[in-house]
Amino acid sequence: MENGGLSVVAVRKMKLTPKAIIVQKFGRNAQFTVDEVQDVVQNGCPGLAIPQKGPCLYRCSLQLPEFSVVSETFKKKKDAEQSAAEKALEKLGIDPSPNVPSAEEAWDKLIASVKHLFSNEFLSSQSPLRGHFIAALRRDGDLYGSVPASVIAVCDSKLANLCKLINPKVESSHLLVLTYIMRAATRLSEFVVTSEGQLSIWRKDPYPPEIKESSIIQQSESPDSICIEAIHIPSSLEMAVHPVTLNVSSTGYYLDVIARNLDQTDGNKILVSRTIGKASSEMRLYFAAPKSYLLDLSSDLPNVEEVVDFEGSLNPRASYLYGQDIYGDAILASIGYTRKSEGLFHEDITLQSYYRMLIHLTPSGVYKLSREAILTAELPMAFTTRTNWRGSFPREMLFMFCRQHWLSEPVFSTCSNSLKESSESSRFYEKSAALESAETGKECTSGGGTAASDNVRCEVKIFSKSRDPILECSPKEFYKKQNESIENASLKVLSWLNAYFKDPDIPLEKLNNLVGALDIQCYPQNFFKKFSSYRFIHNVQQRKMGEKLLQANSINTLNAIPEHGIYCLSIGGPDSGIYPSNGCLSFISYSVSLVIEGETMKELLESREEFEFEMGTGAVIPQVEVVTAQMSVGQSACFCKELPPQELILAAADDSARTFSLLSSKDRMEQALFSPPLSKQRVEYALQHIKESCATTLVDFGCGSGSLLDSLLDYPTALEKIVGVDISQKSLSRAAKIIHSKLSKKLDAAVPCTDVKSAVLFDGSITVFDSRLHGFDIGTCLEVIEHMEEDEASQFGNIVLSSFRPRILIVSTPNYEYNAILQKSSSTIQEDDPDEKTQLQSCKFRNHDHKFEWTRDQFNCWATELAARHNYSVEFSGVGGSGDREPGFASQIAVFRSRTPPEEDDLLKDGDSAHHYKVIWEWDGNGLSRSSL
Ligand code: SAH
Ligand code: MG
């Protein structure tokens, strides 16, 4: 145990393969014979006389003294051998995994492995963790040399496996590994240092200088700073998932950067998930460690329960994506040290890829993605033949589904008719190698000597990782080939799951009827335990569905097939008389665009030049199938349909940000009517005054999520200091992130286009004075006063002009008279959204949170009276629409200017130096920011 490296070998040996066990037991009496199996591939070209060779497959027969077994076919010889050995072990009733070390042995090995990580040799090892150890040596101050335990827990699979042996619960609760690693470290107090409540480990003695230098030099050859796009997933469903930029300097540690984006001081406070998605991916979720993560490091017993007290709220979207509970805001990023790349590996994650991951978790999503037709393809209802099937195969998708949802691999059992009486069933647990070979479609062709008539039946069972039953499907139908029966049973399960994912609130009996699946048995308790979080997410996304229509091409004639949700259908081109019929393959090209009713603007979402599907199986959305059935070969058609769920649209759209803004309910009224949108026009309006007045200081009263402050940074102005105040902590934290990311980007840019050196966000009410905001050059208060009661709005007016006293103050608020126009246009497009409609009818305001909306006269009175009282002048203007035409601007604006000369103004400054606001976030111009959220 002196050399920790030994443990690596020991771990590998822990599990004997089935073949090794057979060999150990029978020696030369066990004969493995591997045969090549060559099959003719049906290549989707009926009538082609030349046989097409498929890839070579292997089948292994194993002869033992008492009996013999034959494996399924596999792409690799060794998999066939293992499968045969496995079958033999099953017959012999031998459990193939008896050689597992005890929990105590694993615990000793874990301690040795942790020790090895902090050895000199480790700095020159190939382990992906090594990058973290070297990065730790570049951290500053107290963090110098400290390695976050969370990266040790997830980047070293051997350690994780050892923890699994100590306590199998580790599998379903990732934080437990952390506890074991921290405990192991406390047993190594001669070599490493930990400190209470800290999830990080230091090496006790410094590394010898030569070792340290050589590794650091080696790594600093990596390029300068990097910028990667990541995704912020707020825990609150009210807030949108949005992109963030991670800016990692050449000397910085990326975990520290991620930490700051999560409002944490450093990477030691961050937890890291296992990788998500493809096996080779570095995509992980990052989230703040609970403050009171209770590490019971004193006890000697290796078995601990996870004791966590999360203050943060559950993050439903991140938890769903990951399959385990995640608390608080999370960042999804693809970054890390890998075995393959020398420096830091990183990839951008776009909103589109986030939504693709989300839909990839649903059975139809997997299929849609495999067909590259997210908005058009649907999981087919029937598996007819392998040749007519397009996209991933059902069995493959079922494996994928189970893997992604942390379920055990599906268990298939097939049974053939001829042997039914003897009730012999061949049971096989698929291995991933088998899964691959399923693509070639030849694995189960004639295994087990089946006859030519329909005589194979297949059952599927789905279990949780802890082997609790979740679903069972036992179709009555018999098939000619084993693989057909497996694909059909798999498809049945997928269809059932898909119906649930489409409408998670559906009662179970109804679900069974819907899929016509009387042969599916669901274990509701286990099932809902696993999938209820999806219900939550799904509903949110459904609720947010917009009111626009999807169309393929343009609208010509009015023609609707209402029962299928097809509107404005027009079919063009000469009738060739050749129509597709069920069971045949249709070949189409198509495009899908987002259109806004009454607008000519279209946003292309998806298009395919060549797309094939089998008619009559529901392999495409019903509208496409219905319309295609009416078209003869050579014709074209276009029609509109209602919007699909938002996540599908965003997964399909290349420009997710733009599409999102088109869809998002908040701005959609304005978006639909104004170009550029009103919010942008307000920014431009403010900008013009900032430029004209050469203002160097600006305060945005009621800054919300910082949209104005953020936009201002994109323009060259004289501004040096910008400040925002709001009472919503949620909005402020969003503002902080957005502005931080913008400012750090500008800091690195060769030609910074802003001179802003200081930015501060305050938490406080603008009806209360704070002397730090006195005497600014310009104040803005855009679309805020209507969020307060009228008397508070007056209070704000008095305080801002008497105490804050900006030289210029710009106040905007909706023009109530303009609502008639907005409502007229919105009621025509909001037919399908009863909630929205009642909202508009019942409150008559543009937003539920508005306490009032003033007419032009009301606003004029308010502003004129205020200006007169505090020695300001006032001018009226607005954005959206026109001031000269009734009913005036959509958003009305008052610009106040101080008539008091600046010198006198200073004298007027009252002695009140009260600090009533709390600094939430601050940027000091050197790229340093402090946050107290
Ligand atoms: N000015 C921003 C946000 C407008 S939404 C923009 O144009 O995008 C209105 C904002 O006013 C909200 O963020 C709300 O939290 C804030 N607000 C309402 N009452 C407030 C008060 N008394 N003090 C500070 N902010 C307030
Ligand atoms: Mg408003």
Side-chain angles (χ1 to χ4, degrees):
M1 281 296 169
E2 264 316 297
N3 179 354
L6 278 178
S7 63
V8 178
V9 183
V11 181
R12 285 233 182 87
K13 270 197 183 161
M14 282 177 327
K15 200 164 175 174
L16 283 179
T17 63
K19 187 181 171 190
I21 298 171
I22 292 284
V23 171
Q24 216 172 45
K25 246 190 143 51
F26 295 94
R28 309 178 89 227
N29 288 328
Q31 275 193 354
F32 290 87
T33 319
V34 180
D35 293 321
E36 271 189 29
V37 193
Q38 193 62 253
D39 224 29
V40 174
V41 175
Q42 310 239 311
N43 66 341
C45 179
L48 182 63
I50 310 157
Q52 306 281 297
K53 275 199 171 181
C56 203
L57 292 176
Y58 299 97
R59 178 184 296 142
C60 173
S61 57
L62 168 58
Q63 181 74 53
L64 294 175
E66 300 287 317
F67 62 91
S68 69
V69 287
V70 180
S71 76
E72 313 301 331
T73 54
F74 292 88
K75 267 185 180 166
K76 291 180 185 156
K77 279 184 190 173
K78 67 168 198 260
D79 293 327
E81 289 179 341
Q82 293 297 357
S83 159
E86 208 171 309
K87 285 189 171 197
L89 287 178
E90 208 171 304
K91 278 207 166 181
L92 291 162
I94 296 175
D95 178 3
S97 52
N99 270 9
V100 175
S102 69
E104 277 73 21
E105 285 168 329
W107 174 234
D108 288 341
K109 282 175 186 150
L110 180 69
I111 296 175
S113 302
V114 171
K115 184 179 163 194
H116 172 65
L117 298 178
F118 289 86
S119 66
N120 291 342
E121 304 84 74
F122 187 73
L123 273 200
S124 49
S125 74
Q126 290 294 304
S127 164
L129 254 182
R130 163 183 171 265
H132 293 272
F133 278 73
I134 293 170
L137 296 174
R138 291 193 305 247
R139 294 175 95 185
D140 291 329
D142 286 351
L143 297 172
Y144 176 78
S146 102
V147 182
S150 58
V151 299
I152 301 182
V154 298
C155 294
D156 193 317
S157 51
K158 282 162 239 136
L159 292 187
N161 283 334
L162 284 170
C163 293
K164 223 181 284 176
L165 293 172
I166 301 171
N167 183 351
K169 285 205 189 98
V170 163
E171 184 112 43
S172 56
S173 118
H174 45 235
L175 291 177
L176 220 44
V177 176
L178 218 54
T179 314
Y180 282 116
I181 286 169
M182 290 308 296
R183 280 169 151 242
T186 57
R187 302 298 182 284
L188 293 164
S189 52
E190 283 168 53
F191 305 96
V192 300
V193 186
T194 56
S195 75
E196 203 184 314
Q198 287 259 20
L199 294 173
S200 58
I201 306 174
W202 291 261
R203 184 173 140 123
K204 197 164 191 179
D205 303 322
Y207 288 96
E210 59 297 351
I211 292 203
K212 193 178 129 184
E213 260 145 46
S214 71
S215 7
I216 290 192
I217 287 165
Q218 219 180 357
Q219 205 177 53
S220 57
E221 277 161 16
S222 52
D224 352 77
S225 60
I226 54 164
C227 262
I228 75 158
E229 294 295 320
I231 300 291
H232 188 122
I233 308 175
S235 66
S236 157
L237 290 170
E238 297 298 308
M239 285 167 71
V241 170
H242 56 97
V244 285
T245 307
L246 303 177
N247 212 315
V248 185
S249 73
S250 53
T251 53
Y253 180 29
Y254 74 85
L255 212 61
D256 289 331
V257 176
I258 291 175
R260 284 195 291 273
N261 273 279
L262 287 166
D263 299 328
Q264 301 294 313
T265 50
D266 60 78
N268 294 357
K269 313 245 174 350
I270 295 298
L271 298 182
V272 184
S273 81
R274 281 177 269 199
T275 57
I276 305 177
K278 344 184 259 294
S280 61
S281 111
E282 270 307 309
M283 186 130 49
R284 297 172 191 274
L285 280 159
Y286 297 84
F287 47 104
K291 287 198 190 68
S292 52
Y293 189 71
L294 301 178
L295 291 172
D296 175 14
L297 304 175
S298 54
S299 153
D300 258 344
L301 288 170
N303 265 307
V304 286
E305 292 289 324
E306 188 177 30
V307 206
V308 192
D309 178 16
F310 280 99
E311 300 97 49
S313 47
L314 184 74
N315 185 325
R317 287 175 291 206
S319 305
Y320 176 69
L321 201 60
Y322 188 45
Q324 291 184 20
D325 287 354
I326 284 179
Y327 290 83
D329 290 358
I331 282 184
L332 177 70
S334 181
I335 184 166
Y337 300 101
T338 65
R339 224 168 266 281
K340 275 164 270 150
S341 59
E342 177 54 33
L344 188 58
F345 168 87
H346 57 92
E347 263 176 338
D348 288 340
I349 304 180
T350 60
L351 259 188
Q352 183 185 31
S353 44
Y354 164 78
Y355 281 104
R356 283 175 178 239
M357 288 172 69
L358 209 62
I359 65 166
H360 199 249
L361 290 165
T362 67
S364 67
V366 176
Y367 183 76
K368 285 162 177 289
L369 287 164
S370 80
R371 298 235 53 196
E372 293 171 68
I374 292 168
L375 296 171
T376 317
E378 273 294 346
L379 183 69
M381 291 172 297
F383 181 88
T384 54
T385 60
R386 237 165 216 288
T387 29
N388 274 2
W389 185 269
R390 293 291 177 277
S392 297
F393 283 97
R395 179 173 62 172
E396 195 185 323
M397 291 192 284
L398 190 58
F399 271 96
M400 178 95 75
F401 182 87
C402 290
R403 197 160 51 224
Q404 291 195 321
H405 290 271
W406 300 88
L407 297 166
S408 290
E409 294 198 332
V411 177
F412 295 93
S413 31
T414 53
C415 126
S416 24
N417 204 10
S418 48
L419 303 170
K420 210 165 43 180
E421 305 318 324
S422 62
S423 79
E424 179 160 341
S425 68
S426 70
R427 211 159 182 257
F428 48 96
Y429 295 85
E430 308 279 332
K431 291 282 166 299
S432 40
L435 181 59
E436 272 170 39
S437 69
E439 277 165 45
T440 67
K442 303 199 289 43
E443 185 183 330
C444 318
T445 38
S446 60
T450 49
S453 58
D454 290 0
N455 60 6
V456 195
R457 214 155 70 84
C458 173
E459 289 183 7
V460 197
K461 292 188 178 133
I462 311 284
F463 296 96
S464 71
K465 274 266 191 282
S466 48
R467 306 303 288 178
D468 298 321
I470 301 229
L471 266 191
E472 272 176 33
C473 174
S474 22
K476 310 278 171 295
E477 297 87 7
F478 284 88
Y479 296 88
K480 275 202 187 70
K481 291 180 176 173
Q482 196 178 40
N483 93 50
E484 263 177 52
S485 71
I486 292 172
E487 298 293 5
N488 271 287
S490 303
L491 182 58
K492 204 150 213 172
V493 174
L494 289 171
S495 305
W496 190 92
L497 289 166
N498 196 34
Y500 170 79
F501 275 79
K502 273 198 171 151
D503 179 9
D505 290 318
I506 195 170
L508 281 182
E509 320 81 68
K510 218 168 149 196
L511 193 64
N512 285 334
N513 285 341
L514 206 76
V515 194
L518 297 168
D519 36 21
I520 287 199
Q521 193 194 346
C522 160
Y523 294 82
Q525 217 180 343
N526 300 339
F527 180 82
F528 288 120
K529 193 170 138 206
K530 189 78 214 173
F531 292 107
S532 54
S533 70
Y534 183 71
R535 163 180 264 150
F536 204 15
I537 293 174
H538 183 76
N539 283 343
V540 169
Q541 262 136 10
Q542 286 298 306
R543 213 173 52 224
K544 291 202 172 155
M545 263 174 65
E547 71 292 324
K548 286 142 210 135
L549 297 172
L550 268 185
Q551 96 172 58
N553 283 316
S554 62
I555 305 166
N556 292 327
T557 55
L558 267 180
N559 182 359
I561 315 177
E563 68 267 38
H564 294 290
I566 296 168
Y567 305 97
C568 311
L569 171 66
S570 90
I571 295 182
D575 184 348
S576 63
I578 310 165
Y579 285 85
S581 60
N582 282 357
C584 79
L585 289 171
S586 269
F587 191 86
I588 61 171
S589 62
Y590 72 83
S591 68
V592 185
S593 302
L594 184 67
V595 293
I596 295 167
E597 205 178 79
E599 300 262 316
T600 45
M601 192 216 62
K602 286 198 290 183
E603 179 80 5
L604 179 68
L605 297 175
E606 179 176 294
S607 74
R608 289 283 304 272
E609 282 298 320
E610 301 175 354
F611 184 79
E612 254 185 327
F613 65 96
E614 184 178 353
M615 292 290 290
T617 58
V620 287
I621 54 171
Q623 292 84 359
V624 170
E625 185 143 5
V626 167
V627 170
T628 315
Q630 297 179 29
M631 295 163 69
S632 66
V633 171
Q635 282 189 314
S636 64
C638 54
F639 64 89
C640 290
K641 73 176 279 288
E642 263 140 37
L643 281 185
Q646 181 172 294
E647 64 265 30
L648 290 183
I649 299 177
L650 291 167
D654 279 329
D655 191 343
S656 320
R658 191 184 142 79
T659 307
F660 187 77
S661 76
L662 286 172
L663 288 172
S664 76
S665 51
K666 185 165 168 260
D667 290 342
R668 69 182 163 207
M669 215 147 64
E670 296 188 352
Q671 287 272 7
L673 284 158
F674 301 103
S675 172
L678 277 190
S679 51
K680 180 116 194 279
Q681 293 192 36
R682 279 190 288 266
V683 170
E684 279 164 6
Y685 188 91
L687 194 70
Q688 190 195 326
H689 284 273
I690 292 164
K691 283 189 173 159
E692 278 170 14
S693 65
C694 300
T696 57
T697 53
L698 174 138
V699 48
D700 188 21
F701 295 104
C703 62
S705 309
S707 61
L708 174 71
L709 299 175
D710 174 52
S711 308
L712 291 179
L713 297 174
D714 292 332
Y715 300 91
T717 61
L719 288 177
E720 288 171 9
K721 177 181 179 121
I722 57 171
V723 173
V725 193
D726 206 290
I727 39 166
S728 159
Q729 290 232 351
K730 247 184 212 164
S731 302
L732 285 167
S733 72
R734 226 176 138 182
K737 281 169 204 161
I738 292 168
I739 300 168
H740 177 94
S741 136
K742 180 74 66 72
L743 281 171
S744 23
K745 242 187 222 167
K746 302 276 176 202
L747 201 64
D748 293 341
V751 206
C753 80
T754 176
D755 281 331
V756 170
K757 293 179 188 67
S758 145
V760 192
L761 293 174
F762 287 105
D763 178 6
S765 170
I766 57 173
T767 55
V768 175
F769 179 60
D770 187 294
S771 59
R772 287 169 290 187
L773 301 187
H774 169 83
F776 275 52
D777 291 337
I778 203 159
T780 48
C781 181
L782 306 182
E783 307 293 292
V784 175
I785 56 171
E786 71 277 5
H787 290 262
M788 313 191 243
E789 298 299 339
E790 284 185 75
D791 58 334
E792 288 176 302
S794 296
Q795 200 184 340
F796 163 70
N798 281 321
I799 290 201
V800 68
L801 297 187
S802 70
S803 303
F804 287 113
R805 294 198 67 79
R807 309 290 316 150
I808 298 173
L809 174 71
I810 303 174
V811 178
S812 87
T813 193
N815 169 13
Y816 180 72
E817 295 160 87
Y818 203 91
N819 288 5
I821 295 185
L822 290 174
Q823 271 155 15
K824 199 161 22 151
S825 13
S826 66
S827 62
T828 57
I829 43 179
Q830 284 186 338
E831 227 89 77
D832 326 311
D833 197 340
D835 279 343
E836 197 79 27
K837 221 178 162 186
T838 45
Q839 173 182 324
L840 272 165
Q841 280 164 353
S842 65
C843 80
K844 290 272 178 248
F845 294 147
R846 297 183 199 177
N847 177 315
H848 251 322
D849 192 45
H850 287 180
K851 305 293 187 303
F852 63 82
E853 279 174 9
W854 282 338
T855 61
R856 283 168 288 174
D857 272 352
Q858 287 173 301
F859 185 56
N860 280 21
C861 274
W862 177 82
T864 312
E865 205 265 322
L866 269 180
R869 190 178 320 153
H870 301 289
N871 199 23
Y872 274 76
S873 69
V874 63
E875 271 170 47
F876 295 95
S877 175
V879 292
S882 151
D884 311 327
R885 258 183 291 123
E886 285 302 312
F889 290 110
S891 198
Q892 44 187 345
I893 297 179
V895 181
F896 301 86
R897 282 170 213 276
S898 171
R899 293 186 202 267
T900 319
E903 314 83 62
E904 270 177 55
D905 213 17
D906 279 342
L907 298 176
L908 276 176
K909 183 178 179 181
D910 51 18
D912 183 4
S913 65
H915 290 189
H916 293 294
Y917 295 172
K918 186 174 159 215
V919 177
I920 281 294
W921 172 85
E922 198 170 356
W923 170 279
D924 75 355
N926 300 317
L928 289 177
S929 58
R930 277 186 291 130
S931 166
S932 65
L933 268 181

